[in-house]
Amino acid sequence: MSFISESSQTRVPCYRVLEDDGDLISDCDFQQVSKEVAVKMYSNMVTLQIMDNIFYEAQRQGRISFYLTSAGEEAISIASAAALSEQDIILPQYREPGVLLWRGFTLQEFADQCFGNKADYGKGRQMPIHYGSKKHNFFTISSPIATQLPQAAGIAYSLKMDNKKACVVSYIGDGGTSEGDFHAGLNFAAVMEAPVIFFCRNNGWAISTNVSEQFRSDGIVVKGRAYGIRSIRVDGNDALAVYSAVSAAREMAINEQRPILIEALTYRVGHHSTSDDSTKYRQLDEIVYWKKARNPVNRFRNWVQNIGWWSERQETQLRNSVRKQLLEAIQMAEKTEKPPLSELFTDVYDHPPSNLEEQEKHLRETVTRHPKDYPSDISV
C-alpha cells in the first residue's frame, strides 16, 4: 500500500530571465522582443506607475471615491498584454489596467471611468477602477472574486467551437484560488479542452490574509496538475519572463486547444486599496524591500537602458509628458457632467417592469424633496 505524498521533496522552480539588477541570466531561454515592443512595454509600465500615484492622491483628496494600485505588479499586466493578440479576450480581476493601457485605452478614458461621468462607458454605475471595453475585448471588471474563471472557460469553449485562432486570458489573485469558482473554472476548461490561460498573480496577500493561511500546497502552480492542466511558475517581477511564458502559453492554448495555468510570483507593494492600511498586518521594512530591491519597473528599465534602447533624457520626457496628460485628463473628467438619473434604470430590461418604474418615481420625488442631500450636478 502506498499513499501519494502531500508534497514533493522539491519546490516547483520559478522561471526567470533577468536578475534583480536587470542583467540577463546566463544560458536562459526566452522569447526575443524587438526594440519597439520593449520600449512600449517600459513606457506603459512607467505610465501605469504614474497613473496609480496620481489617482491614489485624487482619492485621498476626496475627488474620487475609491482606488487600488498595481504597485509592484506592473510587469504582470503589461508584459502579458504584450504577448497577446488584440483578438484574445480578457477577463480581468481588478489589478490589470495595464492590459487596457497596452491595448490603447486612453488616460482620458481611465479618468472618465474613475470619475463616473457622462463619458464613462459604464454610465457612472460602477465603482472606480471597474473598467471595461468592448472595443478592446476587455470584459468589465466585477468585484465578486473568481466569478470570471468559469465564465472564461465557457467563452474559451465558444472560441473553440467557432474555430477561432484566439484564446481567453483570465486573471486572478492568490486569494481567489480559495473560491469554489477557481476549481470549477479549471476543471471545466480541462474537461472541455478550452483554449484559456488562467493567470494567477500570487502577490503574497489576499487583503490581510497571507498565503500561509490560504493553502498548504507549493503555491498555485501545483493545483494545475490536479485538473490535468499544463502549468508554469514565473517570476512576476521579471517582464521578459512573463512575456516569454505568456507567449508560449498562448501558442499551446490555441494550437493544442488546451488550458494553461500560470502562477506569477510577485508582491503587492501598495495597500490592497484606498480602504486598507497594510502596515497594520505586515512589516514596513518588508514593503520597502520589495519596493526598492525587487522593483519590476526599475529592473526592466536597467535592461532596456543597458542595451542602448533607453536614456535618461527619454525617461525625463516620458514622466513629464504622462504627468501632464493625466492631470489634464482629470481636470476634463471633473468638468464633464454626470449621467442623468434615468441611467440608473436602463440597460437591464427592454421594457421596465412596474416595480422599477415605481422605484424611479420614488427616487425622483425624494431628490426633489431633499435637494441639498444630493449632488447638484446630476440631471434629474
Side-chain angles (χ1 to χ4, degrees):
M1 185 187 300
S2 177
F3 286 81
I4 297 174
S5 174
E6 69 279 4
S7 61
S8 174
Q9 294 292 326
T10 57
R11 294 197 68 192
V12 174
C14 182
Y15 171 65
R16 305 175 77 213
V17 175
L18 297 176
E19 301 282 8
D20 290 339
D21 61 4
D23 289 341
L24 281 173
I25 295 173
S26 59
D27 300 322
C28 184
D29 180 33
F30 70 98
Q31 180 74 35
Q32 298 291 330
V33 294
S34 66
K35 177 181 179 180
E36 180 184 7
V37 171
V39 169
K40 182 181 177 182
M41 284 170 62
Y42 178 68
S43 298
N44 276 197
M45 288 167 73
V46 170
T47 300
L48 180 58
Q49 192 178 63
I50 296 172
M51 185 173 82
D52 277 347
N53 290 337
I54 292 179
F55 276 131
Y56 192 92
E57 290 303 316
Q59 192 281 333
R60 287 298 187 242
Q61 295 165 4
R63 298 161 80 179
I64 58 177
S65 61
F66 178 82
Y67 196 75
L68 56 76
T69 72
S70 300
E73 302 179 46
E74 295 91 348
I76 286 176
S77 58
I78 299 297
S80 62
L84 299 172
S85 162
E86 293 286 336
Q87 285 69 50
D88 296 329
I89 299 172
I90 307 298
L91 279 82
Q93 188 185 19
Y94 44 58
R95 225 176 285 274
E96 291 83 30
V99 178
L100 266 181
L101 187 63
W102 178 270
R103 291 191 170 191
F105 207 70
T106 66
L107 296 180
Q108 189 62 61
E109 288 174 306
F110 281 114
D112 288 336
Q113 196 285 324
C114 286
F115 281 87
N117 62 32
K118 226 176 170 182
D120 169 30
Y121 302 127
K123 302 181 180 180
R125 295 179 294 207
Q126 274 276 28
M127 291 172 64
I129 68 90
H130 285 58
Y131 312 111
S133 174
K134 183 177 181 180
K135 174 184 175 182
H136 297 299
N137 281 326
F138 190 96
F139 271 60
T140 300
I141 294 167
S142 61
S143 292
I145 301 299
T147 55
Q148 69 273 20
L149 270 65
Q151 297 165 3
I155 295 167
Y157 188 58
S158 74
L159 294 179
K160 179 188 182 83
M161 293 174 69
D162 292 338
N163 294 314
K164 299 284 188 181
K165 283 291 183 181
C167 69
V168 175
V169 183
S170 187
Y171 295 85
I172 191 172
D174 49 272
T177 64
S178 294
E179 294 283 345
D181 280 341
F182 171 80
H183 304 279
L186 265 65
N187 193 51
F188 181 20
V191 172
M192 304 308 292
E193 298 180 328
V196 54
I197 299 172
F198 296 109
F199 196 115
C200 178
R201 298 176 291 96
N202 185 349
N203 65 20
W205 296 92
I207 307 184
S208 60
T209 304
N210 186 261
V211 289
S212 62
E213 300 172 12
Q214 287 282 353
F215 41 75
R216 286 289 176 268
S217 60
D218 177 16
I220 312 300
V221 67
V222 296
K223 299 179 188 292
R225 175 172 285 184
Y227 293 104
I229 294 178
R230 194 173 295 171
S231 311
I232 187 172
R233 171 177 283 159
V234 61
D235 184 344
N237 287 22
D238 180 344
L240 285 183
V242 172
Y243 178 83
S244 299
V246 174
S247 295
R250 181 181 185 273
E251 185 175 338
M252 286 186 284
I254 294 174
N255 295 339
E256 300 178 30
Q257 291 294 288
R258 66 165 66 243
I260 303 290
L261 172 63
I262 297 176
E263 177 188 21
L265 299 182
T266 183
Y267 187 82
R268 195 196 75 215
V269 169
H271 305 300
H272 173 74
S273 72
T274 49
S275 303
D276 174 47
D277 178 4
S278 62
T279 61
K280 300 295 184 183
Y281 52 83
R282 57 182 184 173
Q283 296 298 313
L284 185 59
D285 57 355
E286 175 186 316
I287 301 171
V288 172
Y289 166 74
W290 281 92
K291 185 176 183 178
K292 294 184 176 180
R294 304 294 296 275
N295 189 303
V297 181
N298 295 346
R299 187 176 182 179
F300 194 58
R301 178 190 175 179
N302 288 342
W303 182 72
V304 292
Q305 195 162 294
N306 288 343
I307 59 177
W309 290 352
W310 196 252
S311 67
E312 286 289 347
R313 181 180 60 82
Q314 288 172 294
E315 182 77 16
T316 302
Q317 289 178 342
L318 173 64
R319 289 186 178 275
N320 289 341
S321 174
V322 171
R323 181 176 176 80
K324 181 174 181 290
Q325 291 177 56
L326 197 53
L327 292 176
E328 290 175 351
I330 287 176
Q331 290 176 352
M332 178 66 72
E334 282 186 309
K335 292 177 183 177
T336 304
E337 63 181 307
K338 302 295 184 186
L341 206 62
S342 59
E343 292 291 6
L344 282 174
F345 303 91
T346 60
D347 299 329
V348 176
Y349 298 97
D350 183 22
H351 300 289
S354 59
N355 66 317
L356 200 60
E357 291 178 333
E358 185 179 346
Q359 289 177 31
E360 181 176 0
K361 178 184 176 183
H362 179 68
L363 178 58
R364 292 182 184 281
E365 291 173 349
T366 302
V367 174
T368 302
R369 283 200 310 269
H370 308 283
K372 293 183 180 180
D373 295 333
Y374 292 87
S376 59
D377 59 344
I378 295 181
S379 173
V380 177

